[in-house]
Amino acid sequence: MRTCTFLLLICSFASAAFAQDWVRTGSGLGVDKVRLAVPDFKPANNDPQNTALLQTFNDTFWNDLDNSGVVELVSKSFFLCKSRAILPKSPLESGTLHRPTRMLAFGNLGVAAGKVVVQAGFTM
């Protein structure tokens, strides 16, 4: 009787060991990505170094967000107007951006006293 109970107990533990579920990890599992509009940042002043630095910054910023896997970037062809460096009102409220856009990142970049200065804003 004890042997039978012991074997029954071992069989129940063995079957539980083979019934393990898959474990999935990652960012954004089961969550919709936020649609983010990121127009190119504008020059803050007329420093001659701005052009090259601004192009590098805009390309790097776009590529990093695009490869992050957390947000879905809205194509620049959907932008209905030219972006401004400083926005007095949310462009999502004023209707100047395509409606599926949920968030907006904007700003400007300049060189002052040999240092790069970035001013940025984020609105929903």
Side-chain angles (χ1 to χ4, degrees):
M1 183 70 175
R2 278 189 177 188
T3 309
C4 187
T5 306
F6 181 70
L7 287 175
L8 184 62
L9 214 94
I10 288 179
C11 288
S12 65
F13 286 131
S15 65
F18 291 116
Q20 293 182 1
D21 291 329
W22 285 92
V23 176
R24 295 187 338 160
T25 62
S27 60
L29 290 175
V31 177
D32 291 335
K33 293 181 183 179
V34 175
R35 291 181 58 85
L36 176 65
V38 184
D40 286 342
F41 279 37
K42 300 298 179 190
N45 54 32
N46 292 329
D47 192 288
Q49 293 178 322
N50 274 0
T51 306
L53 290 173
L54 198 56
Q55 184 64 41
T56 302
F57 177 83
N58 285 329
D59 291 344
T60 303
F61 189 51
W62 179 275
N63 290 332
D64 284 352
L65 286 173
D66 195 27
N67 292 322
S68 72
V70 179
V71 296
E72 179 183 348
L73 294 178
V74 176
S75 173
K76 293 181 183 183
S77 64
F78 283 119
F79 298 167
L80 300 176
C81 70
K82 296 289 183 187
S83 65
R84 292 177 267 166
I86 304 296
L87 297 173
K89 181 179 176 184
S90 169
L92 298 176
E93 294 171 6
S94 63
T96 57
L97 279 177
H98 196 258
R99 291 311 301 161
T101 303
R102 298 218 186 249
M103 296 182 182
L104 170 74
F106 59 93
N108 60 42
L109 178 141
V111 177
K115 296 182 179 178
V116 175
V117 178
V118 177
Q119 296 178 341
F122 184 76
T123 185
M124 296 171 102

